[in-house]
Amino acid sequence: MFRTALRNLLAHKTRLMMTALAVLLGTAFVSGTLVFSDSVGSAFRSKTAKSLDDVAVSVTPGPPRTGAKDGVLDARVVERVRALPGVTSVRPSVGGTVTVADKHDNPAGSEWGSSGANYVPGKDGKDSRYPLKSGRGPASAAEIVLDTRTAEKAGVKPGDTVRFAIDGPVMTKKLVGTVGTDDPRVGAGGSLALFDTATAQKLFGKPGEFGELVVSAAPGADQNALTREVKAALPAGLEAQSGKELAAQQSKAIDQETSSIRKTLLVFAGISLFVGVFIIANTFTMLIAQRTREIALLRAVGASRRQVVRSVLIEAGLLGLAASAAGFLLGLGIAVGLRAVLNAGGAQLPDGPLVVEPTAVASALGVGFLVTVLAAWLPSRKAARIAPVEALAAVDQAPAPRGLVVRNSIGAVLTGLGVAAMLHVTTLRDSGGLTIAMAGSALTLAGVIVLAPLLSRPFVALFGKLTGRLTGISGKLAKENALRNPRRTAATASALMIGLTLITGLTVTAVSANQGVDRMGKQDLTADYRVSSTSYLGLSPDVAKTLAERPGVAAAVPLRMTGFKSNGEPAGIQTGDLAALGEITDLHVTSGSLADVRGKETVAVSRPYAEKHGLRIGSTLPMDFYRGGTAKPRVVAVYAENDVLVDTLAAPALVDPLLDRVRDDAVYLKAAPGQAGKLPAEVKKAMGGNPIIKVESQDDLRRASAGSIDSVLYMLYGLLGMAVVIAVIGVVNTLAMSVFERTREIGMLRAIGLARTGVKRMVRLESIMIAMFGAVLGVGVGIFLAWSGGHLLRSSFPTYEMVVPWARIAIFLLLALAVGVLAAVWPARRASRLNVLESIGSQ
């Protein structure tokens, strides 16, 4: 039977080519994902490990302790640690965020990766951690050093003046050198600025204090023992970790990051393989129908049912292994290409070799093999159930009516359960029903797939009437061909339906979310601009004062916030110029008065927060602040939910003492009549071209929110595109094998006068029917799932309301029509070129 399976595989290699291609693409997605995530993780770990090469122990300040005076990481601690046996050197470092300006006053590095540190020269005057590429290290408060990438982005070279900012005004220093660095943040698109130690302490902390001590030891030294000695020598409030512990922590963090990427990509790889199951099952069903006489002869000469099943599964397994091996090789190319594509999009992934783990090889081959064998299992059992005498008497039997009845019954139950679950989701008012929504979506989709043969009959019949009137006999024949085996038609269409269901559901949800964001911005924000910092350190209070004095500014309202817990639940508290809030946001006070929010004893709360915690005017709100301290202010005002404001509002007297440094999160500007268009340039001018200053209009804010949604949506389109491509291969495969199956019939049609163009049109219309059936079903199910699942967003997204983007839906249907036309090109051409006499004589 093994030899029989091998012979069948080689004999039908052309007919199995499309199936092999579907398996190849699916396993390529899997292997490419695994190799890509392993390679990126290895590159990050390598960069991190290299930056920790000389770290035996790291000493840092511990978290602040209430009621205790903590030790300070200063020169005395440095000398105490340096005097310990086994310590070869101690590198005191201090760092923070530095935003370097380019020639256009924009940040020269990414917002999250712009860093600054101190340059610590050794006896040779050089810092081994930052090898010089040109010039020298900084030696005074007037000098700065940049890494080579940042210098190139900023367009400066040694001798030029560098403009930069931290959290306040623009500063300038002379560039005296450039360095290389292994810092992963810089490699990922960030920037690095270096200063002499005294200057760095003034910029990032307090004079004489450090942020970390990097302790080095002799090669082979026991890091754990040295760490214990360092801990014993430290004053209270300081912590020590070994270099190995730091490396392990960073490696764990990297694994978590790459794991999330891997899981996301594997979900879409799984969708592609699931779509491939329909193609594989369809192919083997048709092959078995074409080899009925052969199977009957095997049964007649003594082959058992188990041997027939085994023969088909061996054939499928060999096909799966061969396609998976080719898919794995293609996956290596995908891994390389994915890194290049993401880097081109600004991801700045670190360079590194391609890492091929044995698990990636085993997973790719194993998944492809199992999927192919499992998909061929039902067709193999069908082949084994055919009695030899019946099989010899008939080449192609219609499916047993009982089978369709049972299938339709199961499909109705699954669909009913899924629809009921999704209707239940529409009654929920929070996101806690996500599990129910996912289960309901899966049941609905599975039920529709099972019911697809039943649903295909009315659709094909209706479509056939239309095409019959327009194209005559070709349209009628196409309809009969599609209805001849509804299971085959449904399985082919279901592969396309799955992809379009997901694409439609995501599109409707994303467009609805964009519309909700747009309504939210128009509803609450009345300020013309928001001024914020790219450094995430906030803005100096002087910024609001400076902007308020500029011509064209009617109001400049700063807002800042911190966090607290009340009865164990987190919340935010905001402060600023509360009297001027009405200038920048449409604030509705439903009870009490905002004017009563004064001092440390009173707060205002949003209505949703008040309802959730049972608060009213006069209630006491217990607050445990994240930065230490407690308060029990009295509620004196309740305001309607507002997108600009958080859960609670308080006077600066309550909030400001809780901040390390008083910094505004943003300053909202209201322009004087007719001056709105001039404000961005006026703000930049007032701030001296400060690179950390970001000025955003209402439209900018809405586009930023919508842009992130659209970016994710287009990325998902790309990932789901693989499933759609595999579905298209399925249509081509089904039509090609159907043409082979109907060779004699096509020969008879040609003999009685059907022209070659008529044959082509017949195959093309059948393809269009299949594609449009899958598209209409996918679009319908996708809209239903988006409508029902969207209710989960309304509790946290009040302005969300489902919007059906009919223009995009029309594009999806047109693309499905194009798929039907293109998928039929090769099968239609092949059918039209069949030799009439040879076709009539075929069996």
Side-chain angles (χ1 to χ4, degrees):
M1 297 308 291
F2 179 81
R3 287 196 298 271
T4 301
L6 186 60
R7 180 187 60 80
N8 285 329
L9 183 64
L10 296 175
H12 303 109
K13 54 182 177 293
T14 303
R15 275 176 268 173
L16 288 169
M17 180 178 64
M18 290 296 180
T19 303
L21 187 57
V23 178
L24 182 150
L25 291 175
T27 53
F29 207 159
V30 172
S31 61
T33 296
L34 295 176
V35 173
F36 169 75
S37 58
D38 287 340
S39 299
V40 170
S42 174
F44 271 118
R45 279 191 293 272
S46 176
K47 290 282 186 182
T48 302
K50 193 171 182 180
S51 67
L52 294 174
D53 276 347
D54 61 342
V55 181
V57 182
S58 171
V59 179
T60 55
R65 300 176 302 161
T66 304
K69 186 176 181 181
D70 293 330
V72 176
L73 198 56
D74 55 16
R76 290 174 297 179
V77 177
V78 174
E79 294 305 320
R80 189 183 303 177
V81 173
R82 186 175 284 143
L84 293 174
V87 174
T88 58
S89 67
V90 177
R91 175 195 173 89
S93 63
V94 59
T97 300
V98 175
T99 304
V100 177
D102 63 14
K103 294 298 185 182
H104 305 288
D105 295 331
N106 295 318
S110 61
E111 294 181 6
W112 53 267
S114 299
S115 58
N118 61 320
Y119 188 84
V120 184
K123 295 179 180 180
D124 58 356
K126 298 178 181 180
D127 189 334
S128 59
R129 188 173 184 182
Y130 303 112
L132 285 169
K133 299 299 182 181
S134 65
R136 58 177 176 80
S140 70
E143 297 175 344
I144 188 173
V145 167
L146 302 177
D147 73 280
T148 51
R149 289 186 181 182
T150 303
E152 290 173 3
K153 292 177 184 176
V156 293
K157 57 184 182 298
D160 293 342
T161 298
V162 177
R163 301 174 68 255
F164 67 95
I166 296 176
D167 62 354
V170 175
M171 291 179 275
T172 59
K173 295 185 186 296
K174 181 181 178 181
L175 183 67
V176 296
T178 60
V179 298
T181 178
D182 294 319
D183 190 333
R185 293 173 299 176
V186 178
S191 62
L192 174 66
L194 301 174
F195 310 89
D196 68 278
T197 298
T199 303
Q201 288 174 329
K202 292 176 183 177
L203 293 175
F204 306 128
K206 297 179 181 179
E209 294 186 9
F210 302 102
E212 181 186 20
L213 300 185
V214 175
V215 181
S216 298
D222 187 341
Q223 288 190 4
N224 293 329
L226 184 58
T227 303
R228 289 193 294 269
E229 293 179 11
V230 171
K231 284 182 178 179
L234 295 176
L238 300 181
E239 296 182 344
Q241 278 185 299
S242 70
K244 292 180 180 179
E245 289 176 326
L246 284 175
Q249 289 176 1
Q250 294 192 19
S251 178
K252 184 178 180 182
I254 291 168
D255 287 341
Q256 289 175 344
E257 289 295 325
T258 54
S259 175
S260 62
I261 297 173
R262 174 185 298 201
K263 288 176 182 177
T264 301
L265 293 175
L266 284 178
V267 166
F268 291 94
I271 293 170
S272 299
L273 286 169
F274 182 61
V275 170
V277 166
F278 292 91
I279 299 171
I280 299 166
N282 238 7
T283 300
F284 277 93
T285 298
M286 297 173 76
L287 281 176
I288 286 167
Q290 294 167 16
R291 295 191 337 234
T292 304
R293 287 185 180 276
E294 176 188 324
I295 294 171
L297 286 171
L298 288 173
R299 296 277 285 115
V301 298
S304 66
R305 289 186 175 184
R306 184 173 297 177
Q307 286 177 310
V308 172
V309 170
R310 191 182 306 144
S311 173
V312 176
L313 294 183
I314 289 173
E315 185 178 346
L318 293 173
L319 175 69
L321 281 176
S324 298
F328 177 78
L329 296 177
L330 178 61
L332 298 180
I334 290 176
V336 174
L338 192 57
R339 188 200 294 255
V341 168
L342 292 176
N343 280 338
Q348 294 295 323
L349 299 173
D351 296 329
L354 208 61
V355 177
V356 182
E357 298 284 351
T359 53
V361 181
S363 298
L365 297 179
V367 166
F369 174 81
L370 288 175
V371 165
T372 310
V373 169
L374 289 175
W377 182 68
L378 284 177
S380 71
R381 288 182 59 83
K382 179 183 177 182
R385 285 198 301 266
I386 299 174
V389 174
E390 293 177 359
L392 289 170
V395 175
D396 191 11
Q397 295 182 354
R402 181 173 176 273
L404 286 176
V405 171
V406 172
R407 177 174 179 148
N408 293 340
S409 300
I410 294 173
V413 171
L414 290 175
T415 306
L417 290 174
V419 170
M422 297 310 294
L423 292 177
H424 173 67
V425 168
T426 63
T427 65
L428 303 177
R429 291 293 176 265
D430 56 53
S431 58
L434 182 60
T435 302
I436 299 175
M438 292 176 65
S441 300
L443 285 171
T444 303
L445 190 58
V448 172
I449 290 171
V450 176
L451 281 177
L454 177 65
L455 299 174
S456 68
R457 291 181 180 276
F459 179 89
V460 172
L462 180 63
F463 197 88
K465 285 184 179 180
L466 176 63
T467 56
R469 291 179 181 178
L470 295 175
T471 61
I473 190 64
S474 295
K476 293 179 181 179
L477 289 172
K479 181 191 73 173
E480 294 301 324
N481 291 335
L483 288 175
R484 181 181 303 178
N485 194 330
R487 293 186 180 191
R488 180 188 305 167
T489 300
T492 307
S494 293
L496 187 60
M497 181 202 76
I498 294 168
L500 281 175
T501 295
L502 296 173
I503 288 174
T504 302
L506 290 171
T507 300
V508 171
T509 304
V511 171
S512 301
N514 273 340
Q515 294 285 343
V517 169
D518 190 56
R519 282 192 294 271
M520 184 183 293
K522 292 178 180 177
Q523 174 178 300
D524 294 330
L525 184 63
T526 59
D528 295 297
Y529 295 95
R530 184 181 74 177
V531 179
S532 58
S533 169
T534 62
S535 67
Y536 302 107
L537 294 176
L539 299 169
S540 167
D542 294 334
V543 171
K545 296 176 184 177
T546 301
L547 294 178
E549 297 172 355
R550 302 302 294 185
V553 176
V557 182
L559 287 177
R560 51 189 176 273
M561 67 170 290
T562 187
F564 70 94
K565 284 188 177 182
S566 182
N567 299 320
E569 293 193 16
I573 183 168
Q574 212 164 22
T575 192
D577 187 356
L578 301 186
L581 285 179
E583 298 286 340
I584 63 163
T585 183
D586 192 10
L587 179 63
H588 297 283
V589 178
T590 58
S591 60
S593 173
L594 207 60
D596 293 333
V597 180
R598 295 188 295 269
K600 298 182 178 181
E601 288 75 33
T602 56
V603 292
V605 298
S606 68
R607 185 164 57 192
Y609 189 79
E611 292 173 352
K612 183 177 181 179
H613 294 274
L615 301 174
R616 58 180 61 87
I617 301 299
S619 298
T620 298
L621 177 63
M623 308 172 79
D624 295 315
F625 296 104
Y626 293 148
R627 297 183 179 276
T630 62
K632 291 185 178 181
R634 182 169 46 89
V635 176
V636 295
V638 177
Y639 54 92
E641 185 174 14
N642 188 292
D643 185 54
V644 178
L645 307 176
V646 296
D647 300 313
T648 60
L649 294 173
L654 175 59
V655 177
D656 288 355
L658 303 170
L659 305 175
D660 290 339
R661 290 191 296 175
V662 177
R663 290 289 183 270
D664 295 324
D665 297 314
V667 177
Y668 291 86
L669 301 181
K670 185 70 175 178
Q675 300 297 310
K678 301 177 182 179
L679 275 191
E682 189 65 33
V683 170
K684 280 289 186 181
K685 181 180 178 182
M687 295 292 103
N690 195 320
I692 70 170
I693 297 297
K694 183 164 57 175
V695 185
E696 298 167 291
S697 66
Q698 289 188 11
D699 288 338
D700 291 334
L701 294 172
R702 285 195 290 271
R703 277 196 299 268
S705 299
S708 60
I709 295 172
D710 285 339
S711 297
V712 172
L713 180 62
Y714 292 138
M715 182 186 71
L716 296 178
Y717 280 168
L719 294 173
L720 289 171
M722 183 70 77
V724 175
V725 169
I726 293 176
V728 173
I729 291 172
V731 178
V732 176
N733 198 31
T734 297
L735 291 173
M737 297 190 71
S738 179
V739 167
F740 180 85
E741 188 179 78
R742 302 201 305 263
T743 298
R744 186 174 185 183
E745 175 187 323
I746 293 171
M748 292 293 294
L749 290 172
R750 293 275 287 113
I752 62 176
L754 186 64
R756 287 185 174 182
T757 55
V759 173
K760 284 184 178 181
R761 190 180 300 119
M762 174 186 70
V763 176
R764 193 179 299 120
L765 287 172
E766 183 182 354
S767 175
I768 291 173
M769 286 181 190
I770 293 172
M772 292 305 295
F773 172 57
V776 170
L777 212 56
V779 166
V781 175
I783 291 175
F784 169 72
L785 295 180
W787 167 76
S788 51
H791 285 73
L792 296 177
L793 297 173
R794 291 185 176 173
S795 61
S796 56
F797 198 170
T799 57
Y800 179 88
E801 185 176 341
M802 193 184 90
V803 177
V804 179
W806 293 113
R808 294 198 192 188
I809 298 299
I811 291 174
F812 295 159
L813 294 176
L814 288 175
L815 288 175
L817 180 64
V819 164
V821 173
L822 293 175
V825 170
W826 177 57
R829 186 178 181 183
R830 183 173 181 272
S832 67
R833 292 191 171 190
L834 290 174
N835 183 282
V836 176
L837 295 178
E838 290 178 0
S839 299
I840 294 174
S842 66
Q843 294 293 330

